[in-house]
Amino acid sequence: MAKKLNENQRTAVNHGDGPMMVLAGPGSGKTTVILCRLKRLLTENKNKGILVVTFTKAAASEMKERFGDRGGGRVLFATFHSLFFRVLRKACGYTSEQIIGEEEKYKTLLNILTEKNWALNDPEEFVSQFIMQASFMRNELLTPFEFTPEGMDQDMFRQLYRAYDGYKERHGKLDFDDMLIQCYELFLEDKQVLAYWQDKFPYIMVDEFQDVNRVQYECIKLLAAPQNNVFVVGDDDQSIYSFRGSRPDFLLEFERYYPESESVTLDINYRSSHRILSLAGKVIGVNENRYDKVLKGVNGEGEKVAFFLADDTTVEAENIAEKISGLLDDGVDLSEIAVIYRTNLQGGPFARALYRRGIPYIIRDGGGNIYDHWIAKDLLAYLTLGESEDADSALRRIINKPKRYISKDLLEEAEKMPYTLLRSFFVSPGLKKWQEESLENLRQDLVQIGKRNPYDGLKYIRRVIGYDEYLEEYAAYRKSSGKALIEIADEITESAKKTADMYEFRKNLEEMSRQMQEQFREKTVAKKGVTLSTMHGAKGLEFYAVFLPSLIEGVVPHERAGEDLEEERRLFYVAVTRTKEKLCLSATRERYGKETTPSRFLKEMGLEVEDLFKKKP
C-alpha cells in the first residue's frame, strides 16, 4: 500500500461522502485503491463502521491480510453470502449447521431424482444443470412459474424444485441462494433490521461490482440508503458471468440510479505491454454497451504477439506444448505460463500433450471428467464389442443406443439363456423378425468396428451406426443442447487419434480420467504447474506467457452465443489482458474433421489471417 498512487487513483482514494463509481481496468491497482481509501476513512471517521464486500472468500481473506489489523473492529471484510448470513443469524437465529453445503445439496437432489425414477442417462449432469438454472432464477428474483429453464424440461425443473424446497423446509435448512433471497425479503419487510445494518455500516465498498446479480444489487441499494455512501469498483468490460445473472447493466445504470454520484477511471495498466493493451483495446472497443475508456501501459512496447495456424486441435496442442517446453528451458517458471481456452472440453488435448512431455499442469476449472462421461463409456462399449461380441456388459449398455427396440422383457428372457447375451437374443422365443434383423445389423457393424483402429472405429460408430443421431434425439427428449453432447463425443474421438489399438486407447482414457480425478482432489493443495484454464476461470489471474488457442468461429466466439456477442468479446478481452509479456494466439484449419474460419476477433484486432486459412498446408 506504500506504492505511489497515480492521479486517478488519488481521486478515488480521496473521495468523501456520497456514491462513487470507480471503473478499474485490468491490472490498474484497484485493490490498492480500496485499501488506501479504507485507511483514510478510518482516520477521518473515528467511530463509523465500514463494510468491504468481495465475491470470494479468498479475495476477502487476501484483502484483510493486506490491510492488517488496523480497523479496531470497525471494518468487516465479507463476501455477499457471509454478510447476508450474518444478518439472518442475528435476525432469525440461524446457525451454521442449518446451511446446506454444495455437496449435501448435490446428494440431496440426486436422492430426489432416484425416487422420481426419471429416464436419465446422466443424473449427475442433470443435477448440475438444475443447480445452475435454479440459482440463476433465484438471483434474478423470479419464481419457478415466471422462469423458463434452458437445457431442461420445464415440468421436470419445477417438480425437482418443489421437492428440494420441501426437503429444506422439513429439515429447517437453507442454501447459499436462500441467504440472498431471505436477506432481501427481510430488508424489505423489517425496517428496524434494515436500519440497524444501515447504521452499523454507513460506508460501503463493493469490489468487482460488474459481477453483481439482481438480488445482490438490490440488497446493496437498500443497505446504502439513505446516506448512499456506496463506493463501487468494477469494470464493465470484464462482466463475464451472465449465466449467474451478472451483467454490465448494473454498473452502466449506477449513474442513473445515483445521479449525484462521482466517477473516475483507473486507466493505467501496470501488468501488460503496450502491444497487448492495444490489441485488447481494439477488440473491446467494438462493443457498444460499455463505458468508453482506453488503457495506458507503463511497461513499454513489449514483444510482438505471435500467431500460428495448425492442422487440427491435436497438432495445435502439441505445438503449444513444444513452445511451453522452450519457455521452461529459458528459465520461465511453470506458474508463469497459462493456456486459456473458451470451454472446459478444450482442456483435454493440452493436458494430454503436456502429460506426454512430462510437464506438470493444473486444471483450474475441470467442469467434470469427460473421460468418465456416459458418452465415453458408450463409445468404449462399442469398441469393446468390436473386439469381442461376447462382452455382455458392454452390449447391455448400448443395445438401444440408437434405438433397436429391444424390450426389457426380451433382455430378461435372453439373460436366462446359458449363452453369451448376443447369441442368447437370437435363440430367445420372444424374438420378433424385425428385432432379429436389427440385431443382425448390429453384429455386422461390430465386425466392421473390429477391423478398424479406435479413431476410425469411433467415426464408424457415430456416422454409420448412428450414435450421433441418438445423442441428438436424447437431447431433444431432454430439451437440452445436442451440440453440447456431440462436442463431448468429438473430444473423445479426437483423443483416439494416434492410438494404434483398443489397449492403447483404453489405457489413455483411464490415465486421463485418473489425472482429472487427481486434479479435482488436489484443488486445495498448493501445486506448481502450467495453468490450464477456461476464460472464465482465468479472470483475476496474470502470467508472463499466455497461449490462446482455437481462435475460430464457433469456438471464439462460441456458437451458443448466438446474436449476443458482447459478452463473448468481453471474455476474449479478459483472456488477452491476463498477459504480462508473451502472448501467442493460434487457430486450426479444421476442428473435429470440419473446416474452420478464423475468429472475427482476430480481424477486429487488426490481424488479417484469412489468407492463411485458404492456403493448402
Side-chain angles (χ1 to χ4, degrees):
M1 285 202 303
K3 174 179 153 185
K4 186 178 178 182
L5 301 176
N6 63 48
E7 184 179 347
N8 287 2
Q9 288 175 329
R10 282 196 301 273
T11 299
V13 168
N14 292 327
H15 174 71
D17 291 355
M20 184 174 208
M21 175 179 66
V22 179
L23 296 174
S28 62
K30 67 181 179 65
T31 304
T32 296
V33 164
I34 291 172
L35 297 180
C36 285
R37 181 170 186 264
L38 181 56
K39 180 182 177 183
R40 188 188 65 74
L41 285 176
L42 286 170
T43 303
E44 295 178 5
N45 300 274
K46 300 294 184 185
N47 300 312
K48 294 185 177 180
I50 304 167
L51 172 65
V52 182
V53 186
T54 67
F55 272 81
T56 65
K57 191 175 179 181
S61 299
E62 182 190 348
M63 255 192 217
K64 188 174 183 179
E65 186 178 339
R66 282 180 61 176
F67 190 69
D69 188 23
R70 309 180 192 191
R74 290 190 290 138
V75 180
L76 174 63
F77 293 94
T79 63
F80 277 101
H81 288 106
S82 67
L83 168 65
F84 294 160
F85 184 67
R86 182 180 290 241
V87 173
L88 293 174
R89 186 173 58 194
K90 182 173 178 58
C92 310
Y94 280 122
T95 65
S96 57
E97 286 74 28
Q98 290 176 273
I99 301 172
I100 294 183
E102 291 306 299
E103 188 174 345
E104 182 185 351
K105 181 178 185 176
Y106 188 79
K107 287 180 179 176
T108 300
L109 287 163
L110 273 179
N111 290 337
I112 294 171
L113 274 191
T114 302
E115 291 169 9
K116 291 193 172 297
N117 199 28
W118 287 335
L120 299 169
N121 258 330
D122 193 341
E124 290 85 359
E125 182 189 27
F126 187 86
V127 166
S128 297
Q129 184 74 2
F130 170 83
I131 289 172
M132 186 172 73
Q133 291 289 303
S135 184
F136 178 87
M137 176 191 75
R138 304 206 69 199
N139 290 333
E140 284 287 290
L141 296 174
L142 297 171
T143 68
F145 299 100
E146 298 169 314
F147 179 68
T148 303
E150 290 183 13
M152 62 196 319
D153 180 79
Q154 189 167 32
D155 185 56
M156 293 171 81
F157 174 85
R158 289 176 179 175
Q159 284 190 51
L160 188 54
Y161 186 84
R162 281 198 301 271
Y164 175 58
D165 234 21
Y167 171 87
K168 289 185 292 181
E169 192 173 336
R170 288 193 304 275
H171 293 86
K173 297 267 190 175
L174 79 165
D175 62 21
F176 290 107
D177 292 326
D178 292 326
M179 291 180 197
L180 307 186
I181 303 300
Q182 289 187 28
C183 192
Y184 173 63
E185 291 171 346
L186 181 65
F187 284 162
L188 287 178
E189 295 164 7
D190 195 324
K191 301 304 178 187
Q192 194 172 348
V193 168
L194 177 59
Y196 170 84
W197 291 98
Q198 288 171 334
D199 185 62
K200 186 174 179 66
F201 296 115
Y203 289 95
I204 299 174
M205 292 197 274
V206 185
D207 189 22
E208 302 285 8
F209 193 72
Q210 78 278 349
D211 292 339
V212 298
N213 57 41
R214 173 59 66 187
V215 67
Q216 292 164 341
Y217 180 60
E218 297 299 336
C219 283
I220 288 296
K221 287 197 298 186
L222 288 168
L223 270 178
Q227 298 177 72
N228 292 332
N229 293 324
V230 57
F231 182 92
V232 303
V233 182
D235 182 7
D236 51 308
D237 289 335
Q238 296 187 75
S239 179
I240 59 173
Y241 298 117
S242 62
F243 61 91
R244 297 180 192 163
S246 307
R247 50 185 181 270
D249 307 52
F250 299 121
L251 253 183
L252 296 171
E253 70 183 38
F254 187 83
E255 291 177 310
R256 291 195 291 273
Y257 187 81
Y258 297 105
E260 76 280 18
S261 66
E262 296 179 20
S263 66
V264 67
T265 302
L266 305 185
D267 56 0
I268 296 179
N269 176 286
Y270 296 95
R271 175 190 300 153
S272 307
S273 68
H274 172 73
R275 277 197 170 101
I276 290 164
L277 293 176
S278 175
L279 291 175
K282 286 177 182 177
V283 174
I284 201 63
V286 178
N287 276 1
E288 295 179 359
N289 190 34
R290 66 185 291 265
Y291 289 109
D292 190 28
K293 49 194 168 308
V294 178
L295 291 182
K296 301 181 284 286
V298 297
N299 293 327
E301 190 71 6
E303 295 188 21
K304 287 184 177 179
V305 173
F307 175 84
F308 74 86
L309 181 63
D311 289 342
D312 57 32
T313 54
T314 300
V315 175
E316 180 183 46
E318 289 295 339
N319 286 354
I320 287 176
E322 185 179 351
K323 291 176 188 298
I324 288 173
S325 182
L327 289 172
L328 296 175
D329 290 343
D330 290 340
V332 178
D333 193 89
L334 279 166
S335 61
E336 284 289 342
I337 305 170
V339 183
I340 303 175
Y341 34 80
R342 176 60 183 86
T343 66
N344 277 311
L345 281 177
Q346 290 175 258
F350 303 104
R352 293 194 295 272
L354 292 173
Y355 173 73
R356 282 193 286 268
R357 289 176 176 268
I359 299 174
Y361 62 88
I362 300 166
I363 299 178
R364 276 190 60 83
D365 37 8
N369 180 1
I370 71 156
Y371 303 101
D372 197 42
H373 194 277
W374 61 266
I375 291 175
K377 291 176 180 177
D378 285 354
L379 294 173
L380 189 59
Y382 266 111
L383 292 177
T384 301
L385 286 164
E387 281 191 315
S388 169
E389 66 175 40
D390 297 339
D392 288 356
S393 61
L395 183 60
R396 284 188 201 95
R397 182 170 192 92
I398 56 85
I399 190 64
N400 282 312
K401 300 179 181 180
K403 196 72 176 171
R404 296 186 178 90
Y405 302 98
I406 304 301
S407 66
K408 186 178 179 183
D409 290 342
L410 180 60
L411 178 61
E412 289 174 354
E413 189 178 284
E415 286 181 326
K416 292 174 183 175
M417 298 284 178
Y419 315 110
T420 57
L421 186 56
L422 186 56
R423 185 183 173 195
S424 295
F425 276 127
F426 285 103
V427 295
S428 294
L431 184 71
K432 305 289 190 297
K433 180 67 176 174
W434 45 269
Q435 290 173 318
E436 183 179 357
E437 290 174 2
S438 178
L439 289 169
E440 186 56 46
N441 288 337
L442 173 61
R443 175 174 267 168
Q444 291 173 16
D445 283 332
L446 296 180
V447 171
Q448 291 301 317
I449 292 169
K451 293 177 180 178
R452 290 163 165 79
N453 62 38
Y455 181 67
D456 291 332
L458 290 174
K459 288 197 291 184
Y460 185 93
I461 293 161
R462 296 176 61 192
R463 295 171 187 173
V464 179
I465 293 179
Y467 186 77
D468 278 10
E469 290 176 22
Y470 159 73
L471 291 179
E472 295 279 9
E473 288 170 6
Y474 176 74
Y477 165 73
R478 276 271 316 275
K479 293 184 171 62
S480 61
S481 168
K483 287 182 179 178
L485 298 183
I486 295 294
E487 196 172 0
I488 293 171
D490 282 338
E491 173 53 28
I492 298 302
T493 305
E494 191 75 10
S495 70
K497 274 187 176 177
K498 299 183 179 178
T499 56
D501 51 35
M502 263 295 291
Y503 173 78
E504 187 181 353
F505 177 61
R506 187 182 285 113
K507 185 180 174 185
N508 281 1
L509 280 187
E510 289 171 354
E511 178 56 33
M512 291 309 300
S513 180
R514 183 192 68 76
Q515 285 188 57
M516 292 296 175
Q517 291 167 4
E518 194 176 281
Q519 289 278 339
F520 181 77
R521 284 196 302 269
E522 294 180 354
K523 255 185 177 177
T524 56
V525 180
K527 180 184 170 187
K528 286 192 77 171
V530 171
T531 296
L532 302 181
S533 175
T534 63
M535 292 177 178
H536 284 104
K539 187 169 173 288
L541 305 179
E542 60 180 33
F543 306 91
Y544 172 77
V546 167
F547 296 85
L548 299 183
S550 298
L551 301 181
I552 53 176
E553 287 292 306
V555 178
V556 182
H558 201 275
E559 60 190 355
R560 290 200 294 269
E563 297 297 313
D564 184 17
L565 289 170
E566 295 223 341
E567 180 155 326
E568 290 294 307
R569 206 169 271 113
R570 293 194 294 270
L571 262 175
F572 186 60
Y573 175 76
V574 165
V576 171
T577 55
R578 299 310 92 201
T579 318
K580 296 179 192 174
E581 187 62 35
K582 287 183 178 290
L583 178 62
C584 181
L585 313 173
S586 60
T588 58
R589 294 181 187 278
E590 67 168 48
R591 179 172 170 80
Y592 303 140
K594 297 171 186 172
E595 287 189 2
T596 63
T597 55
S599 167
R600 70 193 70 190
F601 298 160
L602 291 171
K603 189 169 185 178
E604 291 171 3
M605 277 180 152
L607 302 178
E608 301 290 345
V609 297
E610 287 85 350
D611 288 344
L612 287 176
F613 279 72
K614 294 172 185 174
K615 292 177 183 175
K616 295 293 181 185

